[in-house]
């Protein structure tokens, strides 16, 4: 299926007429083409957004809210179609797309449709000076949203929904590897009555189409989720233009397990936090640290459970692990398994490609557990972003904390313990933007979401996102 750009409410081919292939990871075949957009397309998208801005930014909050909630309802009504498209484009199990990706995309619109009606600013009375200050939060204008391939519609809408709720108009680019649901979203926005030009969706490569968004002199902010190297590059390009930047980048998240935890719950959740979405979630706990007293027990139980995970075609209901997103990505992940072995890591299970009958050219890999002894090895320091975790034991709280923090990333951490004192010590001292205690990836959309260190700058979620997509202005009135 060939797709087009969505500019000013219409589906159009790229100006240069160029297209690139779109692969189905489940069978390795090309199943469609997507626009290879260039600067001219970004210019058209920008002009369309700019023309829509005056009216959209003055549209009553109730009306904006109504349209966002309508988009949410239409996504829910089209759940099957969107889930199928997401699974085919990305390789993720269809069941996951149905349970997580598409419902969450719908929630993003509903949440920000409601949040904007509750978003308020402050006033400060300057007592004794006969003056009052108040703050208004104005939309920025035209903003850019660039999203990755791992949770395609989920993360695309996580940016777009707050941007348009706050009154901005958007030029957005989904990952060229998974463009399909973003394309389908255009239809739904039109049907929901989103005025033309408020959202423009342009497809193409990061280094050309994405770069043109970041370089555009009048696009005021960039909200980006993707790799750390790309984030650093975007920051270098955008900084001299003083653009607002929200960067949600990679992770190498610790999963710290103490003997006093609820063992069964921990084990079950750790399988999920390691391998959900083929391990391709920035929040996956890819470094597992286990207290020495339960290390051997955990190792045996965990490996046994991981071996039971079924790698299979995404639309097969019994599949736990689908295909990796692309061939280059599969090769990258396999490369890391090799690096780990060369460094002395011991593969406890997995490590090999899987041949799924009838889909022999798909990008399937066994879930892989590697035992390591040194946290400074590359497999423990670099983001793999696939179905690969390491396990390692520790003796003391102090050691566990230093292992957890001894990494350049700082997105999330998971802690398994029933000791309140330990919970508080770790929660305060872990160098991450998110700490989950006795759970993983439990999300409340009101909470700030983002990382520290090489995991990025800025926070998404709740009012944080609405603050990012608005500029605060102080007005001081003397009376
Ligand atoms: O991401 P990129 P890639 C990590 C993960 C993965 C690695 C590389 O480790 O293996 O990053 O993945 C667009 N200007 N994560 O190469 O390139 C690109 O088109 C503007 C973590 O797929 O960062 C896509 O839309 N845009 C992660 C988006 O950026 C550019 C999720 C992300 O692609 C651009 C994905 C440029 N110069 C990968 N270059 C997470 N944090 O969840 C690329 N893009």
């Amino acid at each position: 299926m060939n797709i087009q750009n969505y500019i000013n409410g219409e589906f159009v081919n790229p100006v240069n007429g160029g297209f690139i292939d779109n692969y189905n990871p489940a069978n390795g075949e090309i199943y469609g083409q997507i626009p290879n957009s260039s600067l001219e397309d970004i210019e058209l998208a920008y002009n369309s957004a700019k023309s829509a801005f005056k009216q959209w930014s003055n549209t009553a909050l109730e009306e904006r809210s109504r349209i966002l909630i309508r988009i949410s309802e239409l996504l829910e009504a089209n759940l099957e179609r969107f889930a199928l498209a997401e699974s085919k484009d990305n390789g993720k199990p269809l069941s996951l797309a149905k349970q997580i990706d598409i419902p969450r995309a719908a929630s993003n619109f509903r949440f920000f449709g409601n949040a904007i009606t509750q978003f308020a600013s402050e006033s400060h009375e300057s007592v004794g000076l006969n003056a009052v200050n108040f703050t208004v939060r104005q939309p920025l204008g035209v903003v850019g949203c660039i999203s990755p391939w791992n949770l395609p519609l989920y993360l695309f809408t996580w940016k777009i929904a707050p941007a348009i709720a706050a009154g901005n108009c958007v030029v957005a680019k989904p990952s060229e590897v998974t463009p399909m649901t973003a394309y389908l979203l255009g239809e739904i926005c039109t049907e929901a009555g989103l005025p033309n030009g408020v959202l423009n969706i342009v497809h193409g490569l990061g280094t050309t189409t994405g770069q043109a968004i970041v370089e555009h002199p009048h696009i005021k902010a960039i909200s980006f989720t993707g790799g750390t190297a790309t984030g650093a590059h975007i920051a270098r390009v955008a900084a001299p233009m003083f653009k607002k930047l929200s960067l949600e980048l990679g992770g190498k998240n610790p999963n710290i397990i103490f003997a006093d935890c609820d063992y069964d719950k921990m084990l079950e959740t750790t399988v999920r936090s390691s391998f959900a979405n083929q391990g391709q979630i920035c929040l996956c706990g890819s470094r597992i640290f286990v207290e020495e007293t339960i290390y051997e027990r955990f190792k045996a139980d965990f490996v046994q459970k991981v071996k039971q995970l079924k790698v299979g075609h995404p639309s097969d209901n019994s599949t736990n692990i689908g295909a990796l997103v692309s061939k280059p990505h599969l090769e990258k992940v396999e490369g890391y398994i090799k690096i780990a072995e060369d460094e002395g890591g011991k593969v406890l299970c997995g490590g090999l490609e899987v041949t799924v009958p009838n889909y022999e050219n798909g990008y399937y890999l066994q879930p892989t557990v590697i035992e390591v002894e040194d946290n400074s090895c590359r497999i423990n320091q670099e983001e793999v972003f696939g179905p690969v975790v390491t396990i390692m034991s520790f003796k003391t709280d102090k050691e566990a904390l230093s292992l957890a923090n001894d990494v350049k990333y700082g997105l999330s951490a998971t802690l398994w313990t029933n000791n309140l004192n330990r919970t508080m010590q770790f929660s305060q001292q872990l160098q991450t933007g998110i700490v989950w205690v006795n759970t993983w990836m439990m999300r409340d959309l009101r909470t700030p979401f983002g990382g520290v260190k090489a995991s990025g700058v800025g926070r998404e979620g709740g009012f944080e996102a609405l603050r990012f997509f608005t500029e605060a202005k102080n007005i001081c009135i003397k009376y």
Side-chain angles (χ1 to χ4, degrees), residues 146-469:
I146 301 175
S147 60
W149 46 257
N150 58 328
L151 300 165
L153 193 66
Y154 174 133
L155 291 175
F156 193 59
T157 56
W158 182 231
K159 300 179 180 306
I160 288 168
I164 63 178
N168 301 283
C169 293
V170 175
V171 176
K173 191 192 91 64
S175 168
E176 61 274 30
V177 187
T178 53
M180 195 51 86
T181 47
Y183 166 69
L184 298 176
L185 180 68
E187 282 175 23
I188 281 200
C189 288
T190 300
E191 195 181 337
L194 188 71
N196 292 346
V198 174
L199 172 63
N200 303 276
I201 303 170
V202 185
H203 298 275
L205 301 172
T207 45
T208 49
T209 318
Q211 180 84 15
I213 296 176
V214 179
E215 282 178 350
H216 197 288
H218 304 303
I219 293 183
K220 300 272 174 46
I222 303 291
S223 175
F224 169 80
T225 298
T228 293
T230 313
H233 171 79
I234 288 176
R236 276 194 296 274
V237 175
M241 289 179 272
F242 309 110
K243 294 189 184 204
K244 276 185 108 174
L245 279 182
S246 168
L247 304 174
E248 204 271 278
L249 310 175
K252 192 73 195 176
N253 311 306
N255 179 6
I256 310 155
I257 300 168
F258 280 95
D260 70 355
C261 72
D262 179 342
Y263 187 85
D264 293 340
K265 180 78 192 135
M266 174 280 294
L267 190 63
E268 182 199 319
T269 308
T270 295
V271 173
R272 235 172 17 92
S273 66
S274 303
F275 300 113
N277 204 41
Q278 296 69 247
Q280 301 168 147
I281 305 181
C282 52
L283 304 165
C284 279
S286 52
R287 295 183 299 145
I288 305 176
F289 300 114
V290 188
E291 190 170 6
E292 195 181 37
T293 51
I294 57 162
Y295 182 73
E296 290 303 327
R297 177 184 172 202
F298 172 81
K299 180 165 127 181
D301 292 346
F302 184 57
V303 167
Q304 192 205 4
K305 278 209 175 279
V306 173
K307 281 183 175 163
Q308 287 166 3
L309 293 174
K310 190 183 159 213
V311 180
H313 191 271
S315 56
D316 181 343
N317 268 337
S318 63
T319 291
N320 302 114
I321 306 226
L324 268 67
V325 75
S326 67
K327 195 160 192 324
H329 190 59
L330 172 70
E331 287 164 358
K332 173 188 159 180
V333 176
E334 289 178 315
Y336 269 107
I337 297 172
K338 170 94 177 49
I339 288 171
E341 287 184 292
D342 290 348
E343 289 176 319
K346 188 171 158 200
V347 175
L348 300 176
C349 67
L352 300 175
E353 283 186 26
V354 178
T355 305
V356 175
N358 301 322
Y359 306 102
E360 286 78 7
N361 294 323
Y363 317 133
Y364 301 97
L365 186 68
Q366 293 172 334
T368 305
V369 181
I370 304 174
E371 185 173 47
V372 296
E373 284 180 358
D374 183 355
N375 186 48
S376 65
C377 60
R378 283 184 66 191
I379 192 78
N380 260 33
Q381 293 293 323
E382 297 175 23
E383 188 181 45
V384 178
F385 218 64
V388 179
V389 291
T390 64
I391 63 170
M392 181 174 170
S393 72
F394 67 84
K395 288 197 183 73
T396 63
D397 288 40
K398 194 169 166 225
E399 185 190 358
L401 186 65
S402 95
L403 288 169
N405 284 339
D406 187 12
V407 71
K408 74 172 180 173
Y409 294 102
L411 188 53
S412 69
T414 304
L415 179 70
W416 290 95
T417 181
N418 279 309
N419 179 322
L420 179 61
N421 194 37
R422 176 178 280 154
T423 298
M424 288 311 298
Q425 295 286 355
F426 273 78
S427 301
Q428 294 284 357
Q429 292 177 58
L430 282 164
Q431 295 162 0
T432 58
I434 301 156
V435 177
W436 278 299
V437 182
N438 298 330
T439 185
W440 175 71
M441 215 173 153
M442 185 178 269
R443 296 281 295 117
D444 181 323
L445 302 191
R446 293 169 300 177
T447 59
F449 179 85
V452 299
K453 303 196 311 199
S455 292
V457 285
R459 292 291 178 273
E460 302 187 281
F463 290 156
E464 295 283 345
L466 295 176
R467 282 187 203 108
F468 174 75
F469 284 115

Side-chain angles (χ1 to χ4, degrees), residues 64-65 68-73 76 103-119 157-158 161-162 165 443-448 460-466:
R64 278 191 227 158
S65 169
L68 264 81
I69 290 170
R70 184 74 190 122
I71 297 173
S72 167
E73 289 165 353
E76 279 162 359
R104 172 58 191 275
S107 296
N108 289 339
F109 280 106
R110 186 179 303 276
F111 176 85
F112 284 106
N114 286 318
I116 194 62
T117 66
Q118 308 294 318
F119 189 46
T157 56
W158 182 231
R443 296 281 295 117
D444 181 323
L445 302 191
R446 293 169 300 177
T447 59
E460 302 187 281
F463 290 156
E464 295 283 345
L466 295 176

Side-chain angles (χ1 to χ4, degrees), residues 2-4 13-14 16-21 33-36:
N2 291 358
I3 69 176
Q4 293 176 297
N13 283 335
N16 65 12
F19 283 83
I20 43 183
D21 294 332
Q33 294 212 306
I34 79 160
N36 187 4

